[in-house]
Amino acid sequence: MKKLLGLVILGFIVTSSVIALAGPSLLVVYPQNNHQTSSEKIFLIGTAPANGQVLINGKTINRSQAGHFAPSFPLQLGENLFTVRHQNQQLKIQVTRLATQPELPQGLAFAKDSLIPAADIARLPGELICFSAIAPPNANVSVNLANKTISLAPQPQQVSLPSNSAALIGNNQPTAQSIPGKYEGCSILQASESDSVNVIDGKQISGAAVPNNQPNLDLGTPEFQLTLNGQTITQPGTGKIQILSPGNLEIAEVVADAGVARTGPSTDFSRLTPLPKGTQASITGRDSEWLRLDYGGWINSKETRVLPGAIPPRTTIRSVGYRRLPHATEIVFPLQVPVPLSVQQSNDSFTLTLYNTTAQTDTIRLDDDPLISRLDWQQVAPGQAKYTFNLKKSQQWGYKLKYENTSLILTLPHAPTMGRERQKPLSGIKILLDPGHGGAESGAVGPTGYPEKAVNLVVSKLFRNELVKLGATVVMTRDTDVAVSLGDRMAMIDREAPAMAFSIHYNALPDSGDAENTKGIGTFWYHPQAHSLAIFMHNYLVKQLNRPSYGVFWNNLALTRPHAAPSVLLELGFMINPQEFEWLTNSQEQQKLAQTLAKGVVEWVKSSQTRGSV
């Protein structure tokens, strides 16, 4: 799926170039010389003529029948040299293991780039503001802010959480971590409404109060102070701190087609339901270029614009509209202003929550709909209205959300109808296939240098041919070796609105994985509407092809995120596994795989017609 040189996706490294073999020779395709990693080990992927032995640092390694190899070796901090030999050929590869612990400063100094906050932040009155720094042990560290001194204390042993990719190698346990010289401290700023002073930790500081109708309070840049062995230095931070006036908050409007909302102020945080273009909300916090909106989600400021003079968006909602279309049901929510929202799906319901919304709902029309059995609503909290669609069948076929002026339009597609011809059961059903990678992005690379992008395309075309034989209409994101951006692939799913979408890939691992022994089919899903499809196809392929199971994963990938249709990503084997590489590049096995994939689609669609009927 992803590995070797260049672009990082899902924590793996993706190659941007392909190594071509010029006759039988010793070849190592990963890692390249002077590779850098923070992993405690590394695998070497390559091939050599099947006769004779391959030695790495004098040790004979295991190889597949065709001569491929992928052994792992431990890494020491710093430089590691690997000498690979086969008969009279020799390759030398240097790998540098980088330290993950911050480097302690020498002498009376703060560690480079260790002062936090490192960027401008803004918070509401009364919120906790935390500071941290790395300095020599046994020092006294403090922060001066708005005439107040905040002590930073040495931190005890902390827990280091595993990366998200650790779940893919079965090693996602937290570990105890001690960071010598880590100092932290927090403070709360209260804005007094009754007098003209501000309070930090109950003590007055200079400056004006932040009454509701006054401008925001700029506290300036914190000054960090370090004392060690009777000597003291001060260093200004790089981030300014501002306290927002609760009655004078700016209003943000989403200008992206689907604003990416997150649980925190960076791409490290989990995604929330995307915010449709036009959504408006008050800005209750800032962290560098990230904005916290009043309903709790964070969004990058590049996806918004500020509305000068706008008041905090609040709306009521009365009668909810209903439109029955030939292949979908539309629900119209007339609002006074576009507000933030969230979606939750379960086996037999679809729930839409509107924030900054008060219900005055009295009349709702909902005919005997092929999809919806009943619509319930509830004011679950002040300014939070929830609408729950109880469904007639457990399988959902996607949804779309958009604002038309101030009205929210929810579109729920109906289930596809299978063809009546026995030989063409998929007649009238549109399926989108996405051959992963392409162009300069090669994806994972097998031991011979054969790129994932090529086998993705071969198998996708075979899969397409089998689906067409069964009557399906098939749309491909690419049918040649061209680059297609992830955004364009996602947009195609939204535009084409297929009954289902499959992204076709082959797998790789992070450096800490076991490339020599990890194999099997893996399946990835994100929205609950895709779960049944992911589980069914995974089990069907494993059983019918007698292949190992790598596992089924919930994963926030670009090609599992589209919600216009059930979308899954299939990892049909490991490019980097020496034995499995031989299977996945075998033309007869590729044809068998394509036939099995198509049959699996038919069986799943059949099962969805009756599953969970009311």
Side-chain angles (χ1 to χ4, degrees):
M1 173 183 177
K2 327 152 180 64
K3 198 161 189 80
L4 309 183
L5 308 179
L7 176 66
V8 175
I9 297 177
L10 221 184
F12 302 158
I13 305 173
V14 181
T15 184
S16 59
S17 61
V18 182
I19 303 171
L21 283 175
S25 62
L26 174 64
L27 178 68
V28 175
V29 299
Y30 187 80
Q32 283 195 348
N33 193 28
N34 297 321
H35 176 68
Q36 294 184 338
T37 181
S38 59
S39 174
E40 296 179 353
K41 62 180 182 177
I42 190 81
F43 46 73
L44 276 67
I45 304 172
T47 192
N51 61 305
Q53 295 180 327
V54 171
L55 293 86
I56 299 182
N57 289 351
K59 179 182 177 181
T60 303
I61 61 171
N62 295 323
R63 295 201 287 157
S64 70
Q65 187 174 358
H68 311 322
F69 56 84
S72 291
F73 295 91
L75 294 174
Q76 63 181 12
L77 284 173
E79 296 180 354
N80 298 261
L81 182 63
F82 295 95
T83 301
V84 187
R85 288 191 176 93
H86 177 261
Q87 296 180 350
N88 62 345
Q89 292 182 298
Q90 177 177 294
L91 297 173
K92 289 185 179 293
I93 299 171
Q94 181 172 292
V95 177
T96 301
R97 178 184 166 192
L98 305 174
T100 55
Q101 293 274 23
E103 184 176 350
L104 283 176
Q106 299 297 318
L108 189 67
F110 289 104
K112 183 180 179 182
D113 300 327
S114 71
L115 304 185
I116 303 296
D120 295 350
I121 65 171
R123 297 290 186 267
L124 291 171
E127 288 194 273
L128 200 66
I129 300 176
C130 293
F131 308 86
S132 68
I134 295 177
N138 304 316
N140 289 320
V141 180
S142 61
V143 166
N144 294 317
L145 178 67
N147 296 333
K148 168 68 179 178
T149 299
I150 303 158
S151 297
L152 307 190
Q155 294 304 296
Q157 189 177 68
Q158 298 177 329
V159 171
S160 175
L161 295 177
S163 66
N164 278 309
S165 63
L168 302 173
I169 58 174
N171 185 28
N172 63 328
Q173 295 300 311
T175 56
Q177 183 180 39
S178 178
I179 304 179
K182 181 72 175 289
Y183 297 82
E184 292 183 335
C186 299
S187 184
I188 293 178
L189 176 69
Q190 296 285 358
S192 171
E193 298 292 345
S194 59
D195 52 38
S196 60
V197 297
N198 297 304
V199 180
I200 293 182
D201 293 338
K203 297 182 180 180
Q204 293 182 358
I205 65 172
S206 62
V210 190
N212 281 340
N213 59 350
Q214 293 298 313
N216 300 328
L217 176 64
D218 292 321
L219 297 181
T221 302
E223 187 174 76
F224 290 77
Q225 181 172 297
L226 166 62
T227 300
L228 181 66
N229 298 327
Q231 294 182 299
T232 299
I233 64 166
T234 60
Q235 182 175 329
T238 57
K240 298 179 181 179
I241 297 175
Q242 185 181 66
I243 304 302
L244 300 174
S245 171
N248 196 28
L249 299 177
E250 291 183 311
I251 308 303
E253 180 183 59
V254 176
V255 295
D257 287 336
V260 180
R262 294 184 179 273
T263 57
S266 81
T267 56
D268 291 335
F269 287 89
S270 300
R271 289 179 180 244
L272 300 171
T273 300
L275 299 177
K277 186 176 183 178
T279 300
Q280 297 178 19
S282 300
I283 300 172
T284 62
R286 291 179 182 266
D287 200 321
S288 184
E289 61 182 2
W290 291 84
L291 308 178
R292 184 181 62 191
L293 304 183
D294 53 21
Y295 82 110
W298 290 78
I299 189 170
N300 195 294
S301 60
K302 295 177 182 177
E303 298 192 53
T304 69
R305 69 182 181 113
V306 173
L307 300 177
I311 63 173
R314 299 290 185 270
T315 185
T316 55
I317 181 169
R318 294 177 180 168
S319 179
V320 176
Y322 165 80
R323 292 199 293 245
R324 170 88 172 270
L325 305 178
H327 303 291
T329 295
E330 276 191 355
I331 305 294
V332 181
F333 299 85
L335 306 173
Q336 295 162 307
V337 63
V339 294
L341 54 83
S342 65
V343 165
Q344 183 178 9
Q345 293 175 294
S346 67
N347 283 344
D348 54 5
S349 67
F350 180 97
T351 299
L352 177 67
T353 300
L354 301 176
Y355 299 92
N356 300 331
T357 301
T358 301
Q360 294 180 352
T361 303
D362 200 9
T363 303
I364 298 176
R365 175 182 175 178
L366 185 62
D367 298 341
D368 185 14
D369 188 78
L371 182 68
I372 304 167
S373 63
R374 190 178 73 249
L375 170 58
D376 300 328
W377 73 267
Q378 183 181 11
Q379 188 80 39
V380 294
Q384 190 171 327
K386 180 182 290 186
Y387 291 82
T388 299
F389 297 87
N390 300 280
L391 306 177
K392 292 184 175 180
K393 294 184 179 179
S394 61
Q395 180 57 49
Q396 299 178 43
W397 294 91
Y399 68 91
K400 290 186 178 182
L401 282 166
K402 66 177 180 179
Y403 276 111
E404 290 184 354
N405 297 318
T406 62
S407 291
L408 178 66
I409 312 297
L410 168 64
T411 304
L412 298 173
H414 298 162
T417 302
M418 296 195 74
R420 296 181 179 180
E421 294 183 41
R422 185 176 180 182
Q423 300 301 319
K424 294 185 179 295
L426 299 180
S427 294
I429 297 179
K430 182 189 291 187
I431 298 172
L432 184 140
L433 300 184
D434 169 54
H437 308 289
E441 186 185 318
S442 296
V445 173
T448 66
Y450 184 64
E452 179 200 348
K453 66 173 183 176
V455 68
N456 289 343
L457 186 57
V458 169
V459 170
S460 294
K461 286 183 174 181
L462 293 173
F463 186 13
R464 174 190 62 187
N465 295 343
E466 295 301 319
L467 290 172
V468 170
K469 290 178 185 177
L470 296 169
T473 299
V474 179
V475 178
M476 302 269 286
T477 59
R478 69 180 182 96
D479 56 11
T480 59
D481 183 19
V482 295
V484 182
S485 72
L486 294 177
D488 287 344
R489 296 171 196 251
M490 297 168 66
M492 189 176 294
I493 295 176
D494 189 64
R495 181 175 66 252
E496 294 289 342
M500 66 200 81
F502 297 94
S503 189
I504 304 299
H505 286 258
Y506 285 84
N507 221 338
L509 290 170
D511 287 341
S512 55
D514 184 354
E516 190 172 40
N517 297 303
T518 305
K519 62 178 67 174
I521 291 171
T523 309
F524 295 79
W525 63 279
Y526 183 63
H527 295 288
Q529 64 195 19
H531 179 254
S532 169
L533 177 60
I535 289 288
F536 185 94
M537 292 298 292
H538 182 85
N539 292 341
Y540 192 83
L541 293 173
V542 167
K543 181 178 180 180
Q544 298 297 321
L545 297 172
N546 193 28
R547 300 303 301 171
S549 169
Y550 175 57
V552 179
F553 301 85
W554 177 90
N555 208 328
N556 176 20
L557 302 173
L559 270 299
T560 60
R561 280 199 299 272
H563 51 71
S567 303
V568 301
L569 187 146
L570 300 173
E571 297 279 6
L572 296 170
F574 276 82
M575 292 290 293
I576 61 176
N577 180 280
Q579 288 79 25
E580 195 153 63
F581 178 74
E582 296 178 17
W583 169 78
L584 64 88
T585 52
N586 182 294
S587 60
Q588 292 180 333
E589 294 295 338
Q590 290 173 344
Q591 182 62 52
K592 182 179 178 181
L593 170 61
Q595 292 171 345
T596 306
L597 283 164
K599 291 177 182 177
V601 170
V602 173
E603 294 303 317
W604 180 74
V605 174
K606 284 182 180 178
S607 69
S608 71
Q609 303 294 306
T610 56
R611 188 169 56 250
S613 298
V614 176

